[in-house]
Amino acid sequence: MEKWKCAQTDWIPITITRDEVRRFAKGIMEEDLIYFDEEKAREQGFEDLPLPVTMPVTFWRYFSIPWLEKVNEPLIHGKQGFEYQQPLICNHTYQGQLILNDVYEKSGSKGTMIFLEHTLNLYFQNELHAQVFTTLILFKKEGAS
C-alpha cells in the first residue's frame, strides 16, 4: 500500500440531481425542507436544493480507485471530516479528485492495521467548494507487505 502514497485519481465530473438529494436527505432522516423543496431552499438563499453536509461520502462510487482495486480485506470507515468553502448545490457539475494523502501502519492486540488517509477535492467553475477527509482502515494479512 505504501507505494500508493500521494496517488491521485483522475478528475471526474459529478452532478447530483434533486431526486438524489431528496433520497439521501430522507435516508438520513433530515427534516429541513431546504433539502426537499426548491422554493424553501431559495428562501434560504440557495439557487437550488443544497446537498446535505455528509452527502459527499457517496461520491466515492464515481471513482476508479486503483489503490483499492486489489484489497480483499474488509475496509473499516475510520473517520470523516468536511470543510466547505461554498455549499454544494444539486444540478451543478463539480470536478472531483480523490487523493491518498498518507498510508501508515499501527500494531495492536488484534494485529496490524493499515490506515489510508484520503482527501476528496470538489471544484465548481475552477473554485474549490469542498474537501472531504476520510480515513479507511484495513487489517494487514500475516506475511503481506
Side-chain angles (χ1 to χ4, degrees), residues 22 44 71 90:
R22 290 179 181 122
Q44 295 297 315
V71 171
C90 72

Side-chain angles (χ1 to χ4, degrees), residues 5-6 17 34 40 45 48 50 57 66-67 77 82 89 91 97:
K5 186 175 177 178
C6 299
T17 66
I34 64 171
K40 295 291 184 192
D48 207 325
V57 301
W67 55 90
H77 193 167
F82 303 86
I89 306 295
N91 296 317
Q97 184 183 50

